[in-house]
Amino acid sequence: MDHKAYIAERLPLEGVDREEIARAIAVPPDTAMGDYALPCFKFAKLLHKSPVAIAEELAAAYPTDNIIRSAEAAGGYLNFRIDTCGLANETVSRIESEQNAYGSSDMGRGKTVCIDYSSVNIAKPFHIGHLSTTVIGGSLYRIFKFLGYRTVGINHLGDYGTQFGKLIAAYKHWGNRDEVQRGGIHAINDLYVRFNNEATEEMEQEAREYFRLIESGDREANELFDWFKELTLAYVETIYDRLHITFDSYAGERFYTDKMAPVIEELKEKGLLVESRGAGIVDLEPYGMPPCLILRSDGASLYATRDLAAAIYRKQTYDFDKCLYVVAYQQNLHFKQVFKVLELMGKEWAKDLVHVAYGMVSLEDGAMSTRKGKVVWLEDVISRCVEKALSMISEKNPDLENKEAVAEKVGVGAVIFGALYNNKIKDIVFSYDKALNFDGETSVYVQYTCARAASVLTKAETAKICYEGSEIDDLCPQEADLVKALANFPDAVKSAAAGYEPSIVARYAVDTAQKFNKFYIDCKILQAETEKLRARRLRLTRAALTVLTNALTLLGIGVPEKM
Ligand code: ARG
């Protein structure tokens, strides 16, 4: 049941959009006042009355029933109280029948969302800076899919640029085939770092030549480039596997090599491309932005040129309704410029391009020394978290089976959750201890709650207790709070999609786990006074486990059965 829509539908008020009312209805943080609240300020102008008077009139005229039990005015707000038993029966039955689809929807049917995320750079370290784009993008991918959209996950590889000429030059001078094959990305990165530290002017010259050779299709240069790319991808894929990340396309910057000329032609035709000191630019001064660089004075294309070609290609290929770019806020200007240029080119769909910007992730000071000096490899962060998780689990539960597998879920979950829990635009400092705190606002806490619920259910099963379909005709406050949280899950998923904000689901999971734990601690489940009460509580326990599992799954986090 969508209570907001239900209330909006019946609100005795003429001449207002029902959907708008539904959107204005909020869940108050303190449910002592009510289960839903409608602020009446927005109607003051329309009705020429004070919000207080409006709330009072609406409260008196609202047709309460067995779903919405009361409507009361408080200040300029109209507070509603729902029939929680009715809600409980409906919600729990729905969770039982829908299970891992509970919270999903078909609202996206027929619509396509492209999501550009992770977008790693070939031959460069996959470092902690890529964590957010990878897990935020991965989670949005799942959330939109869950809501019925066709989703296209795109890894816009950074596989274009002069650095590849440098890499080939370095390999030619210092490289060894076996060593690079064995060392993979780390060996490649070493070569690249060495080139930047030690290259002579002569080697720089060679590098430029190799880049030109790649561009002109030279076989040897391209074979080497492809090999470096293969080694990088083989490496990053092991990390994607651990993080449960997938892509539908790996079309990177290089893919657009032959797709830029038509874009440049179009820019010229439309009189947008102007020359400035030998370079080709689009003037964005009227929009308060620096010019967008399209062609360098030597004729080479730029990052923005490739993004223009990529956007046009994606529209043609996928006919998206939205195309998201999950990229750090440092690239705010870049995307503003690219979107503006597309708009100036007359692409009406430019309005459907969204830069989903996020903040920086750094590690707590002195938290680790890295294999490679300054750069913190994501792999090392994950491994260290999993190791820590393993030692914590071994201490807490020495007899647990499959400790390694559990530690992998817990450790990886902590890394993912660390990057997802806060509003995405905030800069975050990752702390191993905080991320792995069993009592904190963490994924471990949620996972532990799931294991706790699972253990109760296993005991019930062993004792052959049957609790299917028992009617819910009473609820204590702890149970009522839990039910309301469970009923709000579909809403949380939709809000996360609407705001491109997986943290809404992450916070929902912690909040609901807290409600479950309050219920678990205050209320007897297996030892409940009557069989009826026990059945009701077991149903609630199972429903909570389903919903928490669904929430974690949307974030890409696994749920161990035991912990
Ligand atoms: N490879 C780029 C970087 O590491 C990110 C690419 C983002 N996507 C895009 N279409 N520009 O900064």
Side-chain angles (χ1 to χ4, degrees):
M1 148 92 36
D2 183 345
H3 285 101
K4 293 181 182 176
Y6 190 85
I7 294 170
E9 210 44 56
R10 280 155 190 76
L11 198 72
L13 194 61
E14 296 294 308
V16 282
D17 178 29
R18 300 287 146 181
E19 275 182 34
E20 201 182 304
I21 299 178
R23 271 198 300 277
I25 296 173
V27 177
D30 176 8
T31 47
M33 299 289 285
D35 299 309
Y36 292 97
L38 173 68
C40 297
F41 309 94
K42 48 172 14 169
F43 310 123
K45 220 165 155 191
L46 177 79
L47 302 175
H48 306 289
K49 280 181 203 154
S50 77
V52 175
I54 297 170
E56 275 164 11
E57 280 172 31
L58 287 176
Y62 187 87
T64 52
D65 54 19
N66 57 3
I67 293 173
I68 304 301
R69 281 212 329 248
S70 73
E72 275 167 32
Y77 287 85
L78 185 56
N79 294 325
F80 299 93
R81 218 170 260 297
I82 55 173
D83 170 29
T84 25
C85 285
L87 178 69
N89 280 305
E90 196 196 292
T91 305
V92 174
S93 302
R94 203 170 136 198
I95 296 169
E96 284 167 349
S97 73
E98 296 182 10
Q99 300 199 27
N100 61 6
Y102 176 69
S104 68
S105 145
D106 60 3
M107 65 184 270
R109 193 185 303 146
K111 294 198 184 126
T112 299
V113 181
C114 289
I115 311 179
D116 175 327
Y117 63 108
S118 200
S119 300
V120 285
N121 299 319
I122 297 302
K124 295 246 187 85
F126 190 17
H127 59 78
I128 180 109
H130 298 109
L131 173 63
S132 296
T133 171
T134 306
V135 301
I136 293 173
S139 175
L140 290 175
Y141 183 85
R142 283 194 190 80
I143 290 172
F144 277 100
K145 224 186 185 68
F146 203 53
L147 293 177
Y149 291 83
R150 173 170 78 124
T151 45
V152 184
I154 304 171
N155 200 326
H156 187 76
L157 298 176
D159 54 1
Y160 190 105
T162 49
Q163 73 267 30
F164 297 103
K166 295 183 185 175
L167 193 55
I168 295 182
Y171 175 72
K172 287 277 185 182
H173 275 266
W174 306 305
N176 164 300
R177 189 150 196 116
D178 292 343
E179 256 172 44
V180 172
Q181 185 65 43
R182 240 182 302 115
I185 189 150
H186 296 291
I188 297 174
N189 188 242
D190 287 345
L191 283 173
Y192 186 67
V193 169
R194 182 158 175 201
F195 185 97
N196 284 334
N197 291 336
E198 297 176 28
T200 58
E201 186 36 51
E202 201 190 328
M203 279 178 78
E204 295 280 3
Q205 186 53 44
E206 277 173 35
R208 279 191 286 276
E209 179 57 16
Y210 279 122
F211 178 60
R212 201 189 60 73
L213 284 174
I214 300 179
E215 291 296 277
S216 64
D218 173 80
R219 211 176 111 211
E220 196 210 357
N222 275 285
E223 270 171 17
L224 281 172
F225 170 81
D226 288 343
W227 180 43
F228 295 145
K229 181 163 167 175
E230 218 174 87
L231 289 173
T232 309
L233 287 182
Y235 170 82
V236 295
E237 268 158 21
T238 59
I239 297 181
Y240 290 148
D241 282 350
R242 290 184 89 177
L243 296 173
H244 313 115
I245 296 291
T246 55
F247 295 96
D248 302 291
S249 160
Y250 276 89
E253 294 189 41
R254 212 172 139 62
F255 177 76
Y256 298 100
T257 308
D258 60 354
K259 296 175 182 59
M260 287 182 282
V263 179
I264 292 164
E265 231 9 79
E266 194 179 333
L267 285 169
K268 275 187 198 151
E269 262 165 39
K270 295 186 168 155
L272 291 166
L273 194 72
V274 295
E275 210 203 284
S276 162
R277 282 184 250 128
I281 64 158
V282 175
D283 178 24
L284 295 177
E285 211 188 320
Y287 311 98
M289 286 182 250
C292 184
L293 251 72
I294 305 292
L295 286 171
R296 276 203 327 232
S297 53
D298 64 1
S301 65
L302 288 115
Y303 182 50
T305 328
R306 292 185 287 280
D307 258 328
L308 292 173
I312 293 170
Y313 174 84
R314 289 173 191 174
K315 184 65 192 174
Q316 279 168 356
T317 311
Y318 306 112
D319 193 22
F320 56 73
D321 294 273
K322 285 262 183 259
C323 179
L324 315 182
Y325 296 81
V326 187
V327 185
Y329 64 62
Q330 280 88 344
Q331 295 192 29
N332 276 355
L333 177 62
H334 166 75
F335 286 106
K336 266 174 78 179
Q337 291 178 311
V338 168
F339 298 171
K340 193 59 171 183
V341 172
L342 288 163
E343 184 193 315
L344 294 173
M345 287 172 86
K347 313 287 180 202
E348 53 78 31
W349 46 265
K351 63 177 188 339
D352 303 322
L353 305 170
V354 185
H355 176 206
V356 179
Y358 59 82
M360 293 250 295
V361 182
S362 56
L363 285 175
E364 213 172 29
D365 228 26
M368 72 187 292
S369 62
T370 63
R371 230 191 288 184
K372 293 278 174 286
K374 279 213 184 84
V375 181
V376 180
W377 292 67
L378 185 51
E379 177 197 9
D380 293 340
V381 178
I382 298 174
S383 298
R384 172 147 172 189
C385 234
V386 171
E387 268 165 43
K388 272 192 163 253
L390 183 61
S391 73
M392 284 168 67
I393 290 164
S394 309
E395 203 174 296
K396 248 182 135 69
N397 191 353
D399 302 327
L400 183 71
E401 290 166 38
N402 298 326
K403 280 199 210 63
E404 274 77 19
V406 175
E408 176 74 17
K409 283 186 179 153
V410 170
V412 168
V415 174
I416 296 176
F417 208 80
L420 284 186
Y421 189 64
N422 286 301
N423 182 307
K424 62 186 182 295
I425 204 67
K426 274 195 188 159
D427 287 337
I428 45 183
V429 179
F430 186 83
S431 147
Y432 290 92
D433 293 332
K434 282 197 194 121
L436 285 169
N437 184 348
F438 275 77
D439 303 316
E441 295 176 358
T442 58
S443 49
V444 204
Y445 172 74
V446 181
Q447 286 168 322
Y448 190 66
T449 306
C450 288
R452 187 173 245 184
S455 145
V456 174
L457 297 173
T458 310
K459 280 185 196 139
E461 204 180 302
T462 314
K464 299 207 164 49
I465 298 170
C466 176
Y467 51 95
E468 297 307 330
S470 55
E471 177 77 12
I472 300 172
D473 52 15
D474 186 26
L475 290 167
C476 68
Q478 292 87 332
E479 292 170 313
D481 276 350
L482 177 61
V483 163
K484 285 179 210 158
L486 299 179
N488 278 332
F489 181 57
D491 236 23
V493 179
K494 290 195 187 96
S495 311
Y500 312 113
E501 191 61 273
S503 67
I504 293 176
V505 173
R507 288 187 178 264
Y508 170 86
V510 167
D511 182 61
T512 304
Q514 285 169 347
K515 301 230 157 77
F516 175 80
N517 283 317
K518 180 107 183 73
F519 155 75
Y520 175 90
I521 291 162
D522 293 352
C523 308
K524 288 186 208 134
I525 304 175
L526 289 169
Q527 311 304 329
E529 288 81 3
T530 64
E531 247 170 58
K532 191 170 173 200
L533 188 57
R534 184 178 68 186
R536 168 171 109 211
R537 292 190 171 155
L538 282 168
R539 283 184 81 198
L540 286 176
T541 302
R542 186 172 58 187
L545 175 59
T546 303
V547 175
L548 289 175
T549 304
N550 291 1
L552 288 183
T553 306
L554 286 179
L555 305 177
I557 299 175
V559 182
E561 274 163 39
K562 289 183 188 168
M563 262 174 83

